[in-house]
Amino acid sequence: MNPFSKPRRQVLIALTAIALGVAAGCKPSSSGGSDGAAAAAGGAGEPIKIGEFASLTGSEAAFGQSSHKGTQLAIDEINHAGGLLGRKVDLVSEDNRSTAGESVTIVKKFISREKVVGVLGEVASGRSLEAAPVCQAAKVPMVSPSSTNPKVTEIGDYIFRVCFIDPFQGKLLADFAKRSLKAQTAAILSDVSAPYSVGLADFFRQRFTAEGGKVVVEQKYASKDKDFRAQLTAIKAANPDVIFVPGYYTEAGLVVSQARQLGINLPIFGGDGWEAPQLIEIAGAALKNTYYSTHYSPEAKSAKIESFVKAFQAKFGGETPDAMAALGYDSAMVLVDAIRRAGSTDGAKVRDALAATKDYACVTGKTTLDAQRNASKAAVIITVENGKFKYLETIEP
Ligand code: PHE
């Protein structure tokens, strides 16, 4: 957390305050973002702006809210510890309402009007895929906290992420199904409207069949669907050992509860898209015998996790951070670390520094960005017991 002892920290805060005060004297306000020239030129004393686009409302609000809180905590800690390159960091956040099309508009505005030096976002791969080409074209580095679809960073050399990718996640889920759930046959029920879901289904299928398993039935739905009984009836008829639902928590929760209503008591499992307290609100007791993989568990022991959980709880009324919160925090820290090492907010220099990220101590584990601008990290498997998420195991890459 805070590397400084208390008296030292107070001095630093005071110095920062003086520096900011001087800047404020020179220029009354920078919050409107209308005077981008000075900021773009890196005017000393001007805050450094980082843009964050997130699903703060709508069907994946749990993702956006959580990630946003982690990001806010990181920016607070950075500012308390004296800021970045002697300047304060301003986080400019905007809500895309979990809808398609909004993220492009938001990120264009961040770049042209707010003159952000970097962009953070998104959780959902589909929306990261929308915004990434805008950042790439403008040569503004973008760091996705938790989009796992491989195509996101393939958009170009300015696009990074701090999480593992779905070829790894699909493989570990297939292995989990075979090894721990003893499955020979599987059903897949995927969301055709989410690139994340389609990709994860593919990577799972590849590995499961390569290892001798058989996918006996595949059914599809689209985001915002509410009734999955037709698909579940077809799945029941095919009599699989397990059901894989690579989707997001709103639909996954309904799938699980409708499956149980139809008398399907098989193991049902998904990927990180399941992770939200809302899953339990939606499906409750039906979640018995369900599992999902994700990026982090607050129950896993490490000094970094413990101090992060403590700081997060102190800031957000005792709330325990989930994987999106941890990755939101990590994404901001990795971007700031790169700007600090670059010694500059210049897009190309920050890009180079991001690409050189090595063994950076993230909450979600040591982070090295590879030549494809991806991170390679452990995953955890979670189950639900008595209405609570429970950590089962860690799977190393
Ligand atoms: N990995 C998911 C995606 O790419 C998003 C997600 C991340 C969901 C972390 C939950 C937890 O769309």
Side-chain angles (χ1 to χ4, degrees):
M1 261 198 321
N2 199 316
F4 301 114
S5 64
K6 214 172 176 208
R8 174 88 192 280
R9 185 171 69 214
Q10 278 162 356
V11 171
L12 263 173
I13 292 169
L15 287 175
T16 313
I18 291 165
L20 294 173
V22 170
C26 302
K27 198 175 295 290
S29 163
S30 64
S31 59
S34 52
D35 186 5
E46 285 287 322
I48 291 177
K49 284 193 186 180
I50 292 175
E52 180 208 20
F53 67 108
S55 54
L56 298 174
T57 59
S59 56
E60 280 107 53
F63 291 167
Q65 289 289 347
S66 199
S67 191
H68 177 58
K69 284 179 185 161
T71 306
Q72 277 182 311
L73 175 63
I75 302 294
D76 278 7
E77 287 182 4
I78 289 153
N79 284 329
H80 273 123
L84 175 58
L85 308 181
R87 294 156 68 184
K88 180 175 171 281
V89 180
D90 258 6
L91 180 69
V92 191
S93 305
E94 230 177 280
D95 176 22
N96 56 29
R97 299 179 294 145
S98 306
T99 54
E102 299 273 316
S103 301
V104 166
T105 318
I106 293 172
V107 169
K108 278 187 177 157
K109 194 170 80 188
F110 279 169
I111 294 171
S112 64
R113 223 191 291 162
E114 301 283 354
K115 310 288 178 202
V116 301
V117 304
V119 170
L120 300 174
E122 224 249 40
V123 174
S125 289
R127 291 187 289 271
S128 290
L129 282 165
E130 288 179 24
V134 179
C135 293
Q136 178 66 31
K139 297 193 177 353
V140 172
M142 169 177 144
V143 181
S144 166
S146 47
S147 288
T148 46
N149 187 281
K151 293 196 182 102
V152 172
T153 46
E154 287 167 14
I155 299 281
D157 61 349
Y158 278 78
I159 316 300
F160 298 83
R161 81 179 102 216
V162 294
C163 56
F164 59 63
I165 56 174
D166 286 334
F168 169 63
Q169 184 166 221
K171 171 179 175 292
L172 75 90
L173 284 167
D175 292 349
F176 173 77
K178 290 221 78 185
R179 181 177 26 87
S180 300
L181 303 177
K182 309 265 177 277
Q184 300 298 326
T185 60
I188 301 178
L189 176 54
S190 58
D191 175 353
V192 286
S193 61
Y196 158 74
S197 188
V198 174
L200 191 53
D202 287 344
F203 298 120
F204 171 85
R205 188 191 311 101
Q206 277 167 29
R207 174 72 174 189
F208 191 69
T209 50
E211 293 296 302
K214 196 158 184 253
V215 175
V216 287
V217 55
E218 290 206 38
Q219 292 285 312
K220 308 199 180 306
Y221 65 88
S223 149
K224 298 200 169 61
D225 283 359
K226 303 239 164 348
D227 187 345
F228 304 90
R229 280 171 293 194
Q231 294 95 320
L232 287 166
T233 303
I235 287 173
K236 193 177 181 183
N239 195 27
D241 295 334
V242 293
I243 306 174
F244 180 43
V245 185
Y248 295 131
Y249 64 89
T250 305
E251 290 81 15
L254 291 172
V255 166
V256 170
S257 54
Q258 290 171 20
R260 301 310 186 217
Q261 281 161 19
L262 290 171
I264 305 173
N265 293 315
L266 298 172
I268 307 179
F269 61 100
D272 55 347
W274 278 38
E275 169 135 337
Q278 283 79 350
L279 183 77
I280 292 179
E281 282 165 29
I282 296 167
L287 289 164
K288 193 167 170 231
N289 205 15
T290 64
Y291 311 85
Y292 67 87
S293 53
T294 188
H295 307 260
Y296 135 106
S297 162
E299 292 172 62
K301 291 272 166 280
S302 97
K304 188 88 193 167
I305 290 179
E306 277 167 37
S307 66
F308 167 69
V309 170
K310 239 198 217 154
F312 191 93
Q313 289 180 329
K315 184 168 168 68
F316 298 109
E319 185 181 328
T320 300
D322 58 13
M324 279 85 55
L327 287 166
Y329 179 91
D330 287 346
S331 66
M333 286 300 192
V334 164
L335 176 61
V336 163
D337 172 65
I339 297 172
R340 191 169 284 141
R341 279 186 289 107
S344 161
T345 56
D346 173 73
K349 289 188 179 139
V350 175
R351 193 217 76 86
D352 288 348
L354 272 168
T357 299
K358 195 167 181 293
D359 288 340
Y360 184 81
C362 282
V363 173
T364 52
K366 267 197 187 163
T367 302
T368 297
L369 296 177
D370 64 20
Q372 283 72 46
R373 300 166 297 284
N374 299 322
S376 158
K377 287 180 174 174
V380 295
I381 303 258
I382 308 281
T383 187
V384 186
E385 242 171 45
N386 304 321
K388 281 209 173 101
F389 292 127
K390 187 169 170 269
Y391 165 78
L392 272 189
E393 57 177 309
T394 298
I395 295 167
E396 300 294 337

